[in-house]
Amino acid sequence: MASSQDAWYLSLLGLAEHFRISSPPDIKKCIQCLHAVFTFKPPNRVEARTHLQLGNILLTHTKNIDLARNYLEQAWLLSQNINAFDDVKFEAASVLASVYEQQQQKNLSKSILRRAIELSQHTVYWHCRLLFQLAQIHASERDYELACSLLSVGVDYAHISSAHYTRVLFLLSRCMLMLIDKKFSEVLPLLNQAGHLVEVWQGNQYQKEYLKVFFLVLQVCHYLMAGQVKSVKPCLKQLQQSIQTIMQPSWPSDEVVSGSNVGDMFIWMPKEHLYVLVYLVTVMHSMQAGYMEKAQKYTDKALMQIDKLKIMDNSGILCALQLMLVEHMVMCRLVMGHKCVALTHMANACALCAANPQLLRSHRPQLHVLLGLYAMSMNCMQAAEQQFNAAILTSQERDLWTFANLNLGIVYLRGKREAEFTALLERINPENLPSHSHSLRAAAYYVLGLQSFFQSRHNEAKRFLRETLKMANAEDSNRLTSCSLVLLGHIFLSLGNSRESMNMVTPAMQLASKIPDVHVQLWASAILRDLYRMCGDPARENEAYQMHCNFSQMLLKDHFQSSQMPEHNLIFWTEGDLPPLPPPSTSSQLL
């Protein structure tokens, strides 16, 4: 039978819970009931637990984060010296650390987590969870070395504690951070080790499939980051099959997947988020391979899934996945010659960033690159130059920095600014490019070929472009292939070699139509018109001329409409807050 002290405490708790789960909830009365507990001067255990409950309810149901923080601090302070009180003690530490992080007080957050990790070594679940949390904070500060070191501690601790599933989660998380940090040579042995552990897994088969998806996502990302579009195909196919297995109605909930072992109660991300992530890496592959319509189709499906999920869950990871999908759509639409739609996507990307300062901080360089690409397509070369320079100044991402520099090089070449291009040359020289990306190195050869072409050094241009073709063909980088072929066709035309020119431009046109890349089609149709005239074929000459006129008119109409849109003024934003924009369109209207 409960003591009288237990009785009043349990009564107040029951009443508080009743108000919390009422429809609609009466949070004010719930808080009043919990607060009434303190008037009875309860024992430390009861007081600490009540402080934790109040802190959690205020965080969930109100905007009073400072008061919530105050209650959580009290819960942590009181519970530290109470034995056998792990759940309250470590939940208070974990939630309080999250609050400090939210308030940009990461040093306080790290300090409390380090102390909690020290105290939790006898509690497998909390020790692992707190290690993950502290590693995440260091990763958000780009201190990948320290984050990896904490995850390595987790790998060993989980192994000793027989938490085999969590051991692989720690290992894969470490691989993920090493990929982000571009430690490609170091990550391969670890990724192979993780892959072997997944392959020989003898435990829960649901866990095996889940770990397999995590592993395959990392493997696909590894290939895509290296620009190896062709090599990634088998892994991507496996990943798509695995996610279909996980998304079947018969698949259990995430709680069942994480298992009964107290040390294994973790997942990397919910299966619904994994589903969107697989769509995203598929879109990335389609873009790199030069299949714009495929990329569009998968983006459409992913955005519809995100719209459904956001009704119940507007988490940061969903917003980040949505932003990356929209960014890819901007590039996709620019290639297809749909600048108006690209601008609408751009406005949506900006709206997502304006609503989430953390997203703006992490994606600002990408926004500048996209605006630079749009400005280039509008022949606003000064704005394009400013956007690429803004991206270079704000980015710590090596591949993005290289991509911006390559496009800046094209801006200088188109403006006949040889001195500026020469000053940039060292940063985009494919022989010592600070990037491991196969496709970026191929693109660098293309830019050198373009420079040689503009300087009428045709043999040198051919040499560079053949290198681009060799690399692009090896990995099915169709867009680079079509650009190189059409430029080679232009070079052979300049040299009066109509046969070789035709051999280059015909496949370029076919490939560009398949992508579809309107700008390459426009360029190729102009060359074909000249070639047919040289060959004395007026019917085909007229056909090519008509084709050129159609592409030209379509682009001019779109160009004019884009220039009239209020979003066009984004090309002048290089610093400070994002400028105000019209309300964003819904994803279904965009596609």
Side-chain angles (χ1 to χ4, degrees):
M1 192 174 167
S3 69
S4 59
Q5 192 175 55
D6 285 344
W8 59 254
Y9 171 54
L10 292 171
S11 300
L12 284 169
L13 275 188
L15 203 52
E17 184 62 8
H18 164 75
F19 289 127
R20 190 184 72 81
I21 63 172
S22 296
S23 185
D26 192 336
I27 298 304
K28 186 177 179 183
K29 284 183 181 169
C30 171
I31 289 170
Q32 284 171 340
C33 289
L34 288 172
H35 209 268
V37 171
F38 300 132
T39 60
F40 292 91
K41 297 193 168 35
N44 282 353
R45 279 174 178 268
V46 173
E47 190 179 349
R49 190 181 294 277
T50 308
H51 277 297
L52 175 60
Q53 287 169 304
L54 278 163
N56 279 332
I57 284 167
L58 284 164
L59 278 180
T60 308
H61 296 283
T62 76
K63 292 182 179 176
N64 198 339
I65 194 167
D66 289 327
L67 186 57
R69 169 179 162 165
N70 189 35
Y71 281 122
L72 292 165
E73 283 172 339
Q74 289 300 312
W76 168 238
L77 189 69
L78 288 164
S79 63
Q80 274 181 78
N81 300 316
I82 303 172
N83 292 326
F85 204 47
D86 291 345
D87 280 355
V88 170
K89 185 186 302 181
F90 300 124
E91 186 183 340
S94 177
V95 178
L96 183 55
S98 296
V99 170
Y100 287 147
E101 189 183 2
Q102 200 179 326
Q103 294 186 318
Q104 302 302 314
Q105 293 180 297
K106 289 192 179 179
N107 284 339
L108 283 176
S109 187
K110 289 184 283 191
S111 170
I112 202 170
L113 287 171
R114 279 194 289 266
R115 175 65 180 145
I117 286 166
E118 194 182 307
L119 294 172
S120 65
Q121 291 188 40
H122 62 287
T123 310
V124 181
Y125 169 76
W126 279 110
H127 194 66
C128 290
R129 178 169 160 175
L130 295 164
L131 279 169
F132 274 127
Q133 191 172 351
L134 184 55
Q136 170 66 41
I137 292 170
H138 284 295
S140 72
E141 295 180 319
R142 303 179 74 89
D143 189 348
Y144 298 121
E145 204 165 313
L146 192 44
C148 282
S149 165
L150 285 161
L151 293 171
S152 187
V153 169
V155 171
D156 295 339
Y157 177 83
H159 185 48
I160 292 163
S161 306
S162 298
H164 305 299
Y165 163 77
T166 301
R167 176 197 176 195
V168 184
L169 279 184
F170 270 118
L171 188 58
L172 289 169
S173 301
R174 194 172 164 215
C175 290
M176 179 174 67
L177 290 190
M178 290 171 86
L179 279 178
I180 293 168
D181 200 23
K182 305 287 194 295
K183 297 274 180 70
F184 295 120
S185 55
E186 292 172 46
V187 79
L188 270 176
L190 278 182
L191 207 49
N192 289 336
Q193 183 192 348
H196 176 70
L197 289 172
V198 173
E199 199 178 318
V200 300
W201 185 263
Q202 295 296 315
N204 178 326
Q205 288 307 295
Y206 295 128
Q207 289 181 343
K208 177 173 184 168
E209 202 63 41
Y210 184 88
L211 292 171
K212 188 177 169 187
V213 168
F214 191 176
F215 167 72
L216 286 168
V217 164
L218 296 182
Q219 210 173 28
V220 166
C221 288
H222 182 253
Y223 281 120
L224 289 178
M225 288 165 86
Q228 294 175 313
V229 183
K230 190 176 183 178
S231 309
V232 79
K233 282 180 181 177
C235 300
L236 185 58
K237 194 173 179 183
Q238 276 188 67
L239 175 59
Q240 289 162 343
Q241 287 166 349
S242 279
I243 199 67
Q244 290 304 327
T245 303
I246 283 179
M247 293 309 291
Q248 284 174 2
S250 57
W251 186 265
S253 68
D254 290 329
E255 288 76 16
V256 175
V257 170
S258 57
S260 55
N261 183 337
V262 73
D264 281 339
M265 295 170 71
F266 300 98
I267 56 164
W268 178 41
M269 61 172 70
K271 66 177 182 178
E272 293 79 11
H273 293 186
L274 278 176
Y275 191 48
V276 175
L277 180 61
V278 174
Y279 270 129
L280 174 62
V281 296
T282 305
V283 168
M284 289 162 73
H285 175 260
S286 299
M287 286 289 299
Q288 281 200 31
Y291 299 125
M292 301 301 137
E293 284 169 349
K294 221 175 181 183
Q296 230 176 281
K297 183 183 82 174
Y298 289 124
T299 300
D300 194 4
K301 289 184 176 181
L303 289 175
M304 280 169 62
Q305 177 75 1
I306 287 172
D307 284 344
K308 284 182 204 166
L309 293 174
K310 276 193 155 190
I311 296 166
M312 300 295 292
D313 168 23
N314 198 18
S315 63
I317 183 69
L318 272 182
C319 291
L321 291 171
Q322 185 180 8
L323 179 58
M324 285 188 272
L325 284 161
V326 173
E327 286 170 349
H328 278 80
M329 274 304 93
V330 174
M331 291 187 284
C332 186
R333 292 298 193 169
L334 288 175
V335 170
M336 295 169 81
H338 302 156
K339 292 187 280 288
C340 288
V341 188
L343 261 190
T344 313
H345 281 301
M346 195 71 226
N348 267 22
C350 290
L352 282 166
C353 288
N356 188 327
Q358 193 175 338
L359 271 184
L360 179 58
R361 277 194 299 276
S362 58
H363 281 257
R364 189 180 189 117
Q366 286 93 317
L367 294 183
H368 287 305
V369 164
L370 292 173
L371 286 167
L373 293 172
Y374 166 75
M376 273 175 90
S377 75
M378 292 292 286
N379 289 317
C380 301
M381 291 301 163
Q382 188 180 348
E385 179 184 2
Q386 288 168 346
Q387 289 297 337
F388 292 132
N389 278 322
I392 290 160
L393 282 171
T394 53
S395 179
Q396 294 178 300
E397 173 57 53
R398 190 169 61 200
D399 286 354
L400 191 81
W401 183 83
T402 301
F403 184 71
N405 273 312
L406 286 168
N407 281 286
L408 196 55
I410 294 171
V411 168
Y412 291 151
L413 289 174
R414 281 170 64 174
K416 297 185 171 55
R417 295 163 63 184
E418 269 300 319
E420 286 95 331
F421 185 87
T422 304
L424 183 75
L425 199 52
E426 192 53 39
R427 285 183 264 164
I428 58 170
N429 184 344
E431 300 301 326
N432 52 16
L433 210 60
S435 168
H436 289 268
S437 171
H438 180 92
S439 53
L440 279 177
R441 187 168 281 107
Y445 279 114
Y446 175 80
V447 173
L448 292 186
L450 198 60
Q451 183 207 18
S452 301
F453 167 70
F454 279 129
Q455 293 178 337
S456 299
R457 289 182 282 127
H458 294 131
N459 286 335
E460 193 177 272
K462 284 189 281 184
R463 184 165 54 83
F464 286 132
L465 292 169
R466 282 180 178 135
E467 192 61 37
T468 300
L469 270 180
K470 187 175 78 179
M471 293 182 76
N473 283 332
E475 287 294 344
D476 290 349
S477 299
N478 291 327
R479 189 152 182 258
L480 261 179
T481 299
S482 66
C483 288
S484 304
L485 285 171
V486 79
L487 183 49
L488 277 166
H490 201 140
I491 289 166
F492 283 118
L493 179 67
S494 304
L495 293 169
N497 189 337
S498 58
R499 189 177 167 186
E500 273 302 312
S501 182
M502 187 71 82
N503 288 342
M504 298 293 143
V505 178
T506 305
M509 185 57 133
Q510 289 166 347
L511 207 48
S513 306
K514 192 175 159 189
I515 290 173
D517 186 328
V518 177
H519 303 90
V520 172
Q521 285 175 292
L522 179 76
W523 189 359
S525 59
I527 297 170
L528 282 171
R529 183 193 60 198
D530 292 346
L531 286 171
Y532 289 131
R533 187 172 59 244
M534 288 166 72
C535 297
D537 190 337
R540 284 189 172 180
E541 181 192 344
N542 189 51
E543 191 185 315
Y545 172 72
Q546 200 53 55
M547 200 188 297
H548 185 77
C549 286
N550 292 343
F551 289 131
S552 197
Q553 282 166 13
M554 187 189 96
L555 286 168
L556 280 169
K557 185 182 173 186
D558 189 60
H559 184 108
F560 176 74
Q561 288 174 342
S562 303
S563 67
Q564 302 305 301
M565 290 172 69
E567 292 90 345
H568 175 77
N569 291 320
L570 278 167
I571 65 171
F572 304 113
W573 167 69
T574 52
E575 53 187 29
D577 294 332
L578 278 160
L581 289 166
S585 306
T586 63
S587 53
S588 56
Q589 288 172 311
L590 282 171
L591 296 157

